[in-house]
Amino acid sequence: MTGKELHRVTDAMAVLSLSRSVIYEQLRSGRLRSVRVGRTRLIPASAIAEYIALLEREAADTDDYRAAS
């Protein structure tokens, strides 16, 4: 990640390698947090880190489930 604390959606798209529609779906579902400043939606760097940690936990849970089967 860069040293920025708040990312525009286009920046978050690049950081997470996700499309605009996926970013907005994750925002709608609450899996990725954002804040609004005026009309601009910004994604805190901490929210991006939390989202990455969530994906890692889900991947580990899936791996654990497959190993148990």
Side-chain angles (χ1 to χ4, degrees), residues 57-69:
R57 282 193 307 276
E58 289 175 350
D61 291 346
T62 301
D63 292 342
D64 292 343
Y65 174 77
R66 286 185 183 150
S69 296

Side-chain angles (χ1 to χ4, degrees), residues 1-64:
M1 262 185 276
T2 65
K4 292 170 51 173
E5 289 297 316
L6 293 171
H7 298 271
R8 292 181 180 268
V9 169
T10 53
D11 298 334
M13 289 167 53
V15 170
L16 294 169
S17 299
L18 297 173
S19 70
R20 177 181 299 273
S21 61
V22 171
I23 293 286
Y24 278 106
E25 176 57 34
Q26 297 306 297
L27 290 168
R28 275 191 295 278
S29 71
R31 289 167 53 90
L32 180 60
R33 292 183 299 105
S34 69
V35 296
R36 291 200 61 118
V37 177
R39 296 179 60 173
T40 304
R41 180 167 302 280
L42 298 169
I43 302 170
S46 60
I48 292 173
E50 290 167 9
Y51 181 71
I52 292 168
L54 171 67
L55 294 176
E56 289 173 339
R57 282 193 307 276
E58 289 175 350
D61 291 346
T62 301
D63 292 342
D64 292 343

